[in-house]
Amino acid sequence: MSKLAIHGGLPVRNKSFPFSITTGMEEAMAAMEVVKQGLLSGFVGSPTPEFFGGKEVKRLEEMWSERFGVKYSVSCNSATSGLVMAVGAAGIGPGDEVIVSPYTMSATATAILFYGGIPVFADIEPDYFCLDPKSIEKCITPLTKAIITTDIHGQSSDIDEITRIAKEHGLIVIVDCAQAPGALYKGKCAGTLSHMGVYSLNRHKNMQCGEGGIVVTGDDELALRLRLIRNHAENMIDVEGYSPKNMANMLGYNFRMTEVEAAIAQQQLKKMDVLNRHRMEMVDYLNGKLSGVEWLRMPAVRPGCTHVYYMHIMLYDEAVSGISRQTFVDAVRAEGVTIWGGYMKPLYLNPIYQRKIAIGDKGFPFVGDHYKGNVCYDKGICPVAEKLYEKETIVNPYLYPPLTIRDMQDIVDGIQKVALNIEQLKK
C-alpha cells in the first residue's frame, strides 16, 4: 500500500503543469510582419473604409466566415465584448428578460445587464451541462426577448430544441461558443446555428491570440449593428450605408481588434483542427485509463456531435466512494495533480444578483418602473447546477499543448493512487 502524499508520502508529480502554448514561428512571423509595416490598428471611428478595420482584421473575418460556413464574422477585442455586442444588436433594453445559463463565465450574464436587461437563470442538463430546453420553457414570460445558451466545456447545446422554442415565442438566440470552436453539431460548426454566435481567442482557449473574440451571424442587419456597436456607433447614425433600421443601443464602444492580434489569430485558425485533435487525444487517453474508477464518470458527448474539450469534466459519486469530493480532490492535489471540485458557482448566488445592485446603487435594472417582472435569484432555482457545483463536478484543465501523454499518465497515476488507497482517507 502506497502512503498518500497528503499523509506524508511521496507525490506522483513534483513539477507544475506548463502554461498553454499554441503558438509557434508562424504566429511570430505574422506578428513581426505587422510590426515591420507599422500599422498596428487599421480602425478609424468615422465613416471611411477603415471603419471596418485594417487588412489583417478583414482577412481574419473572411477566413473565419469561410471556415465556419457563415455569412458574417465580426472581430472584437474579447468574447466578453462580443457578448455585449450581441446583446446590444439583439435590441435588449431596460426591463427585457433574457434567459441564460448559471453555469458559465460571469460575462455571459453581465452582458445583459449592460443594456438594462434582466438575466433569468434556467437550469442545465445533468450530463452535458448546457442549458436544459425544458428549464428554458419554464422561464419564458411575456417579458422574455432572448436566450443565451453556452456551449460549455467544448460541445454544443441542444440547439435544435432551443431554436424550436425560440421560434415558437419569437425570441433571439445567442450562443456563447467561447469554449467550443470547431465542435460539430450534426455536421455543422457549433455557434453557427443561431442568430449570433460568440467565440473567444483568450490566452487559454483552444486557439488564441492573447485576447480577442469573433461574433458570427447570417443576418445583414445584425451584422451591421454588431459592427456599429464595436466602433463608436453614435458617430455613424444617418450616414449613408451605415444606419441601422432602429436606434436601439446605438451607443458604441471601442471593441476593436488590433492588426497584430488578427494576424496571430489567422495562424491559429489554420491550426484549429490540430489543436482540437490534441485535446481529444489527451481526453481519449484519460477516459480509457480512468473509466475503471467506479465513483468517477467520464464526460458524456451529445449524440451526433463532437467535443473539443476545453476542459475535462468528471462527475464524482460521493455515495460510492465513501468520502466527500473535497477530501478526494485534496488528496489528488497533494499528489501534484491540481484538479479542483466545482466548475462554477451558479451565477445567481453571486452578490450582484443576491443584492440586486448592478448599475448605480438604486437597484437598476432589477427594480424600477421600467421592469414589470419579478425575477428570482433564490438558492434552489437551478438544482442541477447547484448539485454539480457543490458535490459532483471535478475539473481537469490540463489537456492543451505542450502537454503530452506522459503528463496525462501523471494525472492518471495521481487519481488512481488515491483511488487504490481510499481506505486511508476513510480512516
Side-chain angles (χ1 to χ4, degrees):
M1 179 181 289
S2 300
K3 188 175 184 179
L4 294 175
I6 200 169
H7 295 153
L10 293 175
V12 164
R13 186 179 174 101
N14 292 300
K15 60 182 179 180
S16 60
F17 291 93
F19 292 118
S20 172
I21 301 175
T22 63
T23 54
M25 284 304 300
E26 299 90 347
E27 288 81 6
M29 294 298 291
M32 183 63 72
E33 186 60 31
V34 173
V35 173
K36 284 169 58 179
Q37 293 178 8
L39 188 65
L40 303 187
S41 174
F43 277 102
V44 174
S46 58
T48 69
E50 287 76 28
F51 175 78
F52 298 103
K55 69 175 185 178
E56 300 297 341
V57 160
K58 291 174 182 175
R59 176 60 182 148
L60 171 63
E61 293 175 346
E62 291 169 0
M63 291 173 61
W64 200 282
S65 292
E66 182 178 355
R67 177 62 181 82
F68 282 80
V70 295
K71 189 173 183 180
Y72 299 107
S73 296
V74 181
S75 64
C76 50
N77 58 9
S78 72
T80 296
S81 299
L83 287 163
V84 173
M85 289 160 53
V87 172
I92 301 304
D96 291 340
E97 293 182 347
V98 179
I99 296 171
V100 66
S101 171
Y103 183 85
T104 183
M105 197 269 185
S106 60
T108 316
T110 55
I112 302 162
L113 296 173
F114 277 107
Y115 294 97
I118 308 296
V120 175
F121 294 99
D123 212 349
I124 60 174
E125 301 163 309
D127 39 12
Y128 310 122
F129 317 131
C130 300
L131 269 181
D132 186 339
K134 295 184 179 65
S135 185
I136 290 173
E137 289 195 288
K138 294 176 182 177
C139 292
I140 293 173
T141 76
L143 301 175
T144 307
K145 296 295 190 297
I147 300 166
I148 304 179
T149 184
T150 302
D151 293 349
I152 200 73
H153 300 319
Q155 69 175 323
S156 175
S157 306
D158 185 356
I159 199 65
D160 280 351
E161 186 61 13
I162 292 172
T163 299
R164 182 196 66 77
I165 294 168
K167 286 181 177 178
E168 182 179 330
H169 296 275
L171 308 177
I172 291 282
V173 178
I174 300 167
V175 177
D176 178 349
C177 199
Q179 297 184 5
L184 298 179
Y185 179 88
K186 299 181 180 178
K188 300 289 186 180
C189 287
T192 66
L193 300 172
S194 59
H195 293 93
M196 289 173 279
V198 183
Y199 301 87
S200 176
L201 291 164
N202 174 259
R203 53 163 276 193
H204 47 67
K205 295 301 190 297
N206 294 35
M207 54 180 170
Q208 54 96 14
C209 61
E211 297 288 352
I214 302 282
V215 187
V216 301
T217 184
D219 185 278
D220 296 353
E221 178 69 8
L222 288 175
L224 173 61
R225 293 174 65 79
L226 289 165
R227 288 166 171 161
L228 287 166
I229 292 170
R230 170 179 67 180
N231 189 11
H232 302 292
E234 66 281 355
N235 282 345
M236 311 302 291
I237 303 305
D238 290 335
V239 176
E240 185 177 354
Y242 293 87
S243 291
K245 293 178 180 177
N246 70 75
M247 288 281 291
N249 301 332
M250 287 297 100
L251 291 172
Y253 297 83
N254 180 349
F255 286 157
R256 306 176 302 208
M257 178 181 278
T258 70
E259 291 289 272
V260 174
E261 289 170 325
I264 293 171
Q266 289 172 34
Q267 300 304 316
Q268 289 281 283
L269 181 57
K270 294 174 184 177
K271 299 178 180 180
M272 181 179 70
D273 291 339
V274 172
L275 294 172
N276 284 342
R277 190 157 53 246
H278 177 94
R279 291 172 177 265
M280 294 175 182
E281 290 171 356
M282 298 301 107
V283 170
D284 283 347
Y285 187 85
L286 292 172
N287 288 350
K289 295 290 185 178
L290 293 174
S291 58
V293 180
E294 59 181 337
W295 56 82
L296 287 179
R297 179 150 55 95
M298 297 301 109
V301 180
R302 193 183 304 280
C305 301
T306 63
H307 201 312
V308 297
Y309 298 106
Y310 173 63
M311 289 182 171
H312 184 235
I313 304 295
M314 298 170 281
L315 291 180
Y316 184 79
D317 192 329
E318 183 177 304
V320 176
S321 72
I323 60 172
S324 71
R325 180 186 64 181
Q326 192 58 53
T327 299
F328 181 78
V329 166
D330 288 345
V332 174
R333 290 175 68 89
E335 299 297 336
V337 178
T338 47
I339 60 172
W340 71 85
Y343 168 66
M344 185 68 66
K345 180 168 74 172
L347 294 181
Y348 54 83
L349 297 179
N350 290 332
I352 192 172
Y353 302 105
Q354 290 297 299
R355 300 174 191 173
K356 293 186 176 179
I357 297 291
I359 299 173
D361 62 0
K362 304 294 191 298
F364 184 85
F366 305 106
V367 296
D369 292 341
H370 64 282
Y371 182 44
K372 307 305 180 184
N374 184 27
V375 68
C376 176
Y377 297 135
D378 291 348
K379 185 170 174 39
I381 62 171
C382 296
V384 174
E386 292 180 20
K387 184 180 180 183
L388 288 167
Y389 173 70
E390 293 166 2
K391 290 184 174 295
E392 293 187 341
T393 49
I394 291 180
V395 181
N396 165 37
Y398 301 109
L399 307 171
Y400 46 75
L403 296 172
T404 66
I405 293 298
R406 177 62 259 177
D407 297 299
M408 298 305 104
Q409 188 59 50
D410 283 348
I411 295 171
V412 170
D413 289 345
I415 291 174
Q416 288 184 339
K417 180 181 175 184
V418 174
L420 290 170
N421 295 281
I422 198 80
E423 295 302 321
Q424 293 183 37
L425 296 173
K426 290 181 180 179
K427 293 176 183 179

